[in-house]
Amino acid sequence: MIKLLIVDDSALMRRQLTLLFQAQGDFEIRQARDGAEAVAENRSFQPDVVTLDINMPQMDGITALSLIMAERPVPVVMVSSLTEKGALATFEALNLGAVDYVAKPGGTISLSIDTIQADLIAKVRGAVRSRPSKARTSSSSARGLGERLREQHAQAAQARASSASQSREGLVLIGVSTGGPRALEEVLPLLPADFPWPVLVAQHMPASFTAPFAARLDSVCALQVVEACRPMPVTPGTIYVGKGGADMVLAKRGSTLTVLPKPESSQHLWHPSVELLGRSALEHVNPQSLVAVLLTGMGNDGAAAFADIKKHGGKTVAESEETAVVFGMPAELIERGGASLVLPIDKIAAQLKAWALR
């Protein structure tokens, strides 16, 4: 049996979630009404996984999460509202050690559960098999570093332009899902202001979350980070985050390589689709110019396309099991023989720099 602690200040929500997981047949469930009760139940019940609401009286979910991870770390799936405020709180929770989140839509509770139940069950089961992480230190120091490095951005851009004819062309693709926001904050801020290649990121995420996430990354990265919410020419030294609720692909407009959002493909389970991004890159970019990185996440999104990138002369990196929150996606790439290198998360930025700046 999987021991599940459900934490929510709404009695109706707790009841609906309890009924949902009881119907699975392999969950032993307890409930908590606020953060203080959650901390106490984590100590006494010792759950295998926790669903944790963010907005609660007495003690909110962020405070409770920080205490839980300090006292008895356990996989936690946050239940977050589909708002910018909810998104920012969710990213803070992921930095504190939460494994994943479920975006709670508006409307009546019963209808909300209906729309998220499959996603919620999958993420709770995935969280049980995950590797909870210790809380990160405050991002304020990283943010200050980003601001200092940004002062060098204009000079670096000029340097890239003057040496463009001497630099080998390249394009970095990054695919990531569960545990991705935190993983990306481990990699992207370490790319220097003179990093010469564009970076395209397909992170499975709801539509209302990707703009705040891109803004958060922009504040800690030396490179400019933007949400690819409209057709944009691909330029060196820019990080493009695929818009949630859509797929991100590469296309040619005249002779200009362009990144653009398109409606979600019904042929793919996860969005923005890493597989579609990889396939479009193979169609429009010399494979030998591609570097494809597959980070933490459930499922196999992107593994087939990235394996083909390696097969046709590109370079690929799979995050190693020792650091991946969920090893599913990188494991699929490795099993297909599609990983040029298998690296822990803290070594990936250095490898990208070595390839790009040699």
Side-chain angles (χ1 to χ4, degrees), residues 181-210:
R182 184 168 178 172
L184 290 169
E185 289 194 38
E186 294 283 348
V187 174
L188 298 179
L190 296 181
L191 298 179
D194 61 347
F195 189 79
W197 295 346
V199 180
L200 276 62
V201 177
Q203 158 74 67
H204 300 160
M205 191 171 278
S208 59
F209 277 33
T210 45

Side-chain angles (χ1 to χ4, degrees), residues 3-7 38 42 47-52 68 74-78 124:
K3 297 170 70 174
L4 169 64
L5 176 62
I6 294 171
V7 186
N42 182 55
D48 299 311
V49 61
V50 177
T51 65
L52 181 60
I68 286 170
V74 62
V76 175
V77 176
M78 305 302 295
V124 167

Side-chain angles (χ1 to χ4, degrees), residues 5-11 13-14 31-39 50-65 68 76-79 85 89 104:
L5 176 62
I6 294 171
V7 186
D8 201 291
D9 63 320
S10 165
M13 178 62 82
R14 292 196 304 273
Q31 301 178 359
R33 296 172 295 180
D34 57 39
E37 286 191 5
V39 174
V50 177
T51 65
L52 181 60
D53 191 16
I54 290 180
N55 298 311
M56 297 181 292
Q58 307 303 321
M59 182 188 291
D60 63 65
I62 299 297
T63 304
L65 177 65
I68 286 170
V76 175
V77 176
M78 305 302 295
V79 181
K85 183 178 179 181
K104 180 168 57 178

Side-chain angles (χ1 to χ4, degrees), residues 42-105:
N42 182 55
R43 187 183 306 124
S44 60
F45 179 47
Q46 298 200 341
D48 299 311
V49 61
V50 177
T51 65
L52 181 60
D53 191 16
I54 290 180
N55 298 311
M56 297 181 292
Q58 307 303 321
M59 182 188 291
D60 63 65
I62 299 297
T63 304
L65 177 65
S66 65
L67 295 174
I68 286 170
M69 299 309 290
E71 183 175 286
R72 180 186 172 272
V74 62
V76 175
V77 176
M78 305 302 295
V79 181
S80 173
S81 63
L82 277 170
T83 64
E84 181 174 346
K85 183 178 179 181
L88 294 173
T90 301
F91 301 142
E92 184 63 28
L94 294 170
N95 271 341
L96 287 171
V99 170
D100 209 341
Y101 62 91
V102 174
K104 180 168 57 178

Side-chain angles (χ1 to χ4, degrees), residues 227-234 240 249 251 253 257-261:
E227 181 194 42
C229 58
R230 64 182 188 279
M232 297 177 174
V234 175
Y240 301 85
V249 298
R253 293 198 163 183
L257 187 64
T258 302
V259 60
L260 53 90

Side-chain angles (χ1 to χ4, degrees), residues 88-215:
L88 294 173
T90 301
F91 301 142
E92 184 63 28
L94 294 170
N95 271 341
L96 287 171
V99 170
D100 209 341
Y101 62 91
V102 174
K104 180 168 57 178
T108 63
I109 289 177
S110 59
L111 290 178
S112 296
I113 294 297
D114 287 343
T115 59
I116 67 171
Q117 63 178 359
D119 191 35
L120 178 58
I121 291 169
K123 289 188 173 183
V124 167
R125 290 191 181 279
V128 174
R129 302 187 298 271
S130 71
R131 184 193 308 271
S133 303
K134 294 181 180 179
R136 287 168 55 113
T137 56
S138 169
S139 61
S140 59
S141 59
R143 186 167 288 110
L145 175 62
E147 290 172 355
R148 292 195 299 274
L149 290 174
R150 192 64 61 83
E151 294 174 1
Q152 306 169 23
H153 184 74
Q155 294 92 328
Q158 292 176 355
R160 283 196 301 270
S162 63
S163 62
S165 61
Q166 303 173 13
S167 299
R168 187 173 68 84
E169 291 186 354
L171 178 70
V172 178
L173 311 176
I174 299 179
V176 62
S177 185
T178 307
R182 184 168 178 172
L184 290 169
E185 289 194 38
E186 294 283 348
V187 174
L188 298 179
L190 296 181
L191 298 179
D194 61 347
F195 189 79
W197 295 346
V199 180
L200 276 62
V201 177
Q203 158 74 67
H204 300 160
M205 191 171 278
S208 59
F209 277 33
T210 45
F213 183 51

